[in-house]
Amino acid sequence: MEAFKIMLKMQEEKIDLRDYINVLLKRKRIIILIFLIAIIAAAMASYFTISPSPIYKSSTTFSVAQIDGRAVINITESLEIMKSSVFLNEVINRMNLEINAGQLKSQIEVKNLKGTNFIEISVVDNSPEKAKNLAENITEVFIRQNQGKYREKVKLVEDRLKTLEEQISELEKNIEMIKKALKGIAASKELSEGERQFQTSLLLSSSITERELYNTLTNQANSLKVSLKSYEDFKIINNVQILVSPIKPNIKLNIIIAGILGLFIGVFVAFFMEFWQKGKS
């Protein structure tokens, strides 16, 4: 008995599903019509109503200079500086723009890529060329303002290294002179054995001192050379490209959403019409 009830219920479900499919097939023209109207309306709205001027976006990423693995500037503070009126006015003057700092601020977005020393600058504008130029100029102005800090620190290390190398060169000469003096004492026939030993002892003591100082300064110089190799200047990671397609309006997305909504509305209208027709009969 239970098996019969289950089979009957399954049969009823099949009939209901078949009825639904029949309704959709019967009203397919109205469904397709509403679907097409929705797509055409979305396309027309995207082109002429939603955004008369397309908006383009250009982005560039650069790395902040590092010394011993640490950024030479405070990246969080730098993000705020890049959106300040003082900084933006310099960009405006550099490009001879006819806008104010507030307007330019609304066009840009700056962010630090999490866990890195990378800063990404994004600019939106109704001209792809202008968006590209703005992104490039903002990056150039920021790097120019901050690169001096990096170069000053590098110069300090380079000057220190140069001084060490000069001292090392002098020590090498002294050590070489001591070697020659030792050979001269050993070959001298005018010195007594006691004088020879005394002078040799003094020179050897001086040689040890010079050698120790030479090794210390050489290690310091090598350490500075290794550090200099690890230093990283400001560097553009990806150059700005002119975008062909605007980010707004996103016509494709608008049409897809409108098409889905059109299908839902079409199906709803089809079942409503079927319900209304049955209600009259």
Side-chain angles (χ1 to χ4, degrees), residues 94-159:
R94 175 188 173 102
M95 297 181 67
N96 295 317
L97 300 175
E98 295 181 356
I99 58 174
N100 58 45
Q103 290 171 311
L104 180 55
K105 182 179 179 180
S106 66
Q107 292 182 244
I108 70 171
E109 178 187 5
V110 291
K111 63 181 179 181
N112 173 223
L113 302 186
K114 194 172 181 181
T116 70
N117 64 319
F118 295 169
I119 292 179
E120 182 183 75
I121 300 173
S122 300
V123 181
V124 294
D125 196 89
N126 55 16
S127 166
E129 293 81 6
K130 190 175 177 182
K132 175 180 182 293
N133 290 335
L134 278 168
E136 288 176 339
N137 278 273
I138 291 170
T139 303
E140 289 171 9
V141 169
F142 180 81
I143 290 177
R144 179 171 55 80
Q145 286 183 351
N146 293 277
Q147 201 166 39
K149 298 176 184 178
Y150 170 78
R151 289 178 176 171
E152 284 176 8
K153 293 181 180 182
V154 170
K155 190 174 185 306
L156 287 174
V157 176
E158 289 176 340
D159 290 344

Side-chain angles (χ1 to χ4, degrees), residues 4-279:
F4 176 75
K5 288 181 179 180
I6 293 172
M7 290 178 64
L8 184 61
K9 187 176 181 181
M10 290 177 64
Q11 187 67 22
E12 289 175 353
E13 288 178 353
K14 287 181 181 178
I15 293 171
D16 290 341
L17 180 59
R18 192 179 297 113
D19 289 341
Y20 294 149
I21 294 172
N22 288 334
V23 171
L24 293 176
L25 292 174
K26 181 180 178 182
R27 307 290 180 179
K28 64 182 178 181
R29 290 184 179 179
I30 191 68
I31 294 173
I32 294 172
L33 179 61
I34 294 174
F35 173 73
L36 293 176
I37 290 173
I39 289 177
I40 293 170
M44 297 287 286
S46 297
Y47 276 111
F48 303 109
T49 306
I50 297 175
S51 179
S53 297
I55 302 299
Y56 297 85
K57 180 178 180 180
S58 287
S59 301
T60 183
T61 305
F62 67 90
S63 60
V64 173
Q66 292 188 105
I67 290 181
D68 295 329
R70 291 177 295 181
V72 297
I73 57 175
N74 186 308
I75 293 179
T76 303
E77 290 179 0
S78 297
L79 297 180
E80 296 302 318
I81 290 172
M82 292 173 76
K83 299 195 78 172
S84 68
S85 297
V86 174
F87 176 83
L88 294 177
N89 280 329
E90 184 168 345
V91 176
I92 290 169
N93 293 333
R94 175 188 173 102
M95 297 181 67
N96 295 317
L97 300 175
E98 295 181 356
I99 58 174
N100 58 45
Q103 290 171 311
L104 180 55
K105 182 179 179 180
S106 66
Q107 292 182 244
I108 70 171
E109 178 187 5
V110 291
K111 63 181 179 181
N112 173 223
L113 302 186
K114 194 172 181 181
T116 70
N117 64 319
F118 295 169
I119 292 179
E120 182 183 75
I121 300 173
S122 300
V123 181
V124 294
D125 196 89
N126 55 16
S127 166
E129 293 81 6
K130 190 175 177 182
K132 175 180 182 293
N133 290 335
L134 278 168
E136 288 176 339
N137 278 273
I138 291 170
T139 303
E140 289 171 9
V141 169
F142 180 81
I143 290 177
R144 179 171 55 80
Q145 286 183 351
N146 293 277
Q147 201 166 39
K149 298 176 184 178
Y150 170 78
R151 289 178 176 171
E152 284 176 8
K153 293 181 180 182
V154 170
K155 190 174 185 306
L156 287 174
V157 176
E158 289 176 340
D159 290 344
R160 173 59 180 160
L161 179 59
K162 184 178 179 181
T163 300
L164 286 173
E165 288 176 339
E166 290 173 352
Q167 293 175 338
I168 290 170
S169 179
E170 287 297 317
L171 288 170
E172 287 175 343
K173 292 177 182 178
N174 293 343
I175 292 170
E176 191 61 30
M177 288 175 63
I178 291 172
K179 288 180 179 179
K180 290 181 179 179
L182 286 170
K183 289 180 180 179
I185 292 171
S188 176
K189 296 180 180 180
E190 298 177 357
L191 297 173
S192 64
E193 186 63 27
E195 291 175 332
R196 184 180 290 107
Q197 289 180 358
F198 176 73
Q199 291 187 20
T200 298
S201 177
L202 288 177
L203 288 173
L204 287 175
S205 177
S206 178
S207 176
I208 292 171
T209 301
E210 295 284 309
R211 178 62 67 178
E212 288 177 349
L213 182 57
Y214 172 84
N215 291 336
T216 299
L217 296 184
T218 299
N219 290 336
Q220 291 179 8
N222 290 336
S223 178
L224 289 179
K225 288 177 182 177
V226 171
S227 293
L228 279 173
K229 288 181 179 179
S230 69
Y231 291 179
E232 296 180 8
D233 199 350
F234 288 90
K235 183 180 179 182
I236 304 295
I237 303 301
N238 64 297
N239 294 315
V240 188
Q241 301 293 326
I242 296 180
L243 297 182
V244 178
S245 301
I247 60 168
K248 295 179 182 179
N250 192 331
I251 298 173
K252 289 182 179 179
L253 180 60
N254 291 344
I255 291 174
I256 290 171
I257 293 173
I260 294 171
L261 289 175
L263 282 175
F264 278 114
I265 294 171
V267 171
F268 173 79
V269 170
F271 280 104
F272 179 79
M273 290 176 68
E274 186 70 15
F275 169 79
W276 186 263
Q277 188 177 13
K278 285 184 178 180

